[in-house]
Amino acid sequence: MKTKNNWIFFVLIAIAVGLAAAFFYYDRGNDISAIIQKMGWPGAVLAVLFMAIFCMTPIPSEALAVMYLKIYGVFWGTVLSWLGSIVSSVIIYFIARQYGQQVMCKMISPERFNLVNDWVERKGTAGLFVARMLPLPAFAVNYIAGVIPSIRFWPYLWTAAISIIPYYIGTALVFLGIIMTTWCWLLLGGAAIAVFWSVGYIFNRKKIGIDPRRVEGE
């Protein structure tokens, strides 16, 4: 099962990268970007909804975020991507509340559930915020947090909105460094993303342990 899931993950990454590459290839003259920009606010709303759909699935949303940076510019592309992630969090919360057990069995491993649940049990809302910094997919943490009865909507929402900001800023800086061929922006963005994931990795390795007997009992 683990091998199968790894293959699915790599296939999804390949699809996302392929779509982004095709977009950049056919938008060399900014023709596609210009058409989308002329749609005005309806196009922006659709962009948020598309990002929300991507963020609700294991499909890497970074490819879509990079396309938004190309279409709308670094600032608005980042904002629309961020809003899409928030919308996805809200939808996932209510899905998890309604169909939590079914979703958990199909999409989330017991190890991931225990990892997030342990942080929430120890530190409450602060623990949830730290859990969102762990090296876990954001959609998985959203589903898990939505299932946990002790987590209320507002703490769930603000931790989702704030914790993802450094990652989107880092992505925007990397994109800015690439298109402007400016090494300082590229290095700064790469460092921001590296710090974001390193902090989660350190918390995961040093601050929490999973009881194998608990996992087996799930």
Side-chain angles (χ1 to χ4, degrees):
M1 287 296 296
K2 185 175 181 181
T3 303
K4 180 180 178 181
N5 289 337
N6 288 339
W7 274 108
I8 293 175
F9 177 72
F10 286 119
V11 168
L12 291 175
I13 290 179
I15 292 174
V17 172
L19 289 174
F23 170 79
F24 277 91
Y25 177 80
Y26 290 107
D27 193 46
R28 296 191 303 275
N30 294 322
D31 297 328
I32 300 176
S33 295
I35 293 174
I36 297 174
Q37 290 170 4
K38 288 180 180 179
M39 295 175 64
W41 68 264
V45 171
L46 287 175
V48 171
L49 293 178
F50 275 120
M51 178 59 72
I53 293 172
F54 267 64
C55 290
M56 291 172 60
T57 70
I59 301 175
S61 62
E62 290 81 1
L64 191 59
V66 171
M67 292 166 59
Y68 288 178
L69 296 175
K70 173 71 162 54
I71 297 170
Y72 294 102
V74 172
F75 177 77
W76 285 112
T78 302
V79 170
L80 293 176
S81 299
W82 177 67
L83 289 175
S85 70
I86 295 176
V87 172
S88 75
S89 300
V90 173
I91 297 174
I92 287 175
Y93 180 86
F94 291 105
I95 291 176
R97 281 292 195 258
Q98 187 70 28
Y99 308 102
Q101 296 301 323
Q102 296 92 322
V103 172
M104 286 292 299
C105 292
K106 294 181 179 179
M107 300 185 65
I108 310 300
S109 67
E111 292 87 349
R112 286 179 173 177
F113 177 83
N114 289 338
L115 192 63
V116 176
N117 188 56
D118 283 351
W119 274 106
V120 173
E121 287 182 351
R122 293 181 183 185
K123 299 295 184 179
T125 300
L128 174 60
F129 185 81
V130 172
R132 292 191 180 279
M133 305 293 290
L134 297 174
L136 296 174
F139 85 95
V141 178
N142 284 333
Y143 279 113
I144 295 169
V147 170
I148 300 175
S150 61
I151 298 179
R152 297 292 178 255
F153 179 71
W154 174 241
Y156 168 93
L157 182 61
W158 78 256
T159 55
I162 300 300
S163 62
I164 200 65
I165 289 177
Y167 184 73
Y168 277 123
I169 291 177
T171 302
L173 291 175
V174 169
F175 176 82
L176 192 62
I178 292 174
I179 63 173
M180 296 182 64
T181 62
T182 305
W183 283 103
C184 63
W185 292 117
L186 185 61
L187 293 175
L188 186 60
I193 295 175
V195 169
F196 177 82
W197 288 113
S198 297
V199 169
Y201 179 80
I202 291 172
F203 275 122
N204 183 29
R205 299 293 295 178
K206 301 297 184 180
K207 298 295 184 181
I208 189 169
I210 299 299
D211 184 354
R213 291 171 298 178
R214 183 179 176 187
V215 175
E216 292 173 0
E218 291 289 337

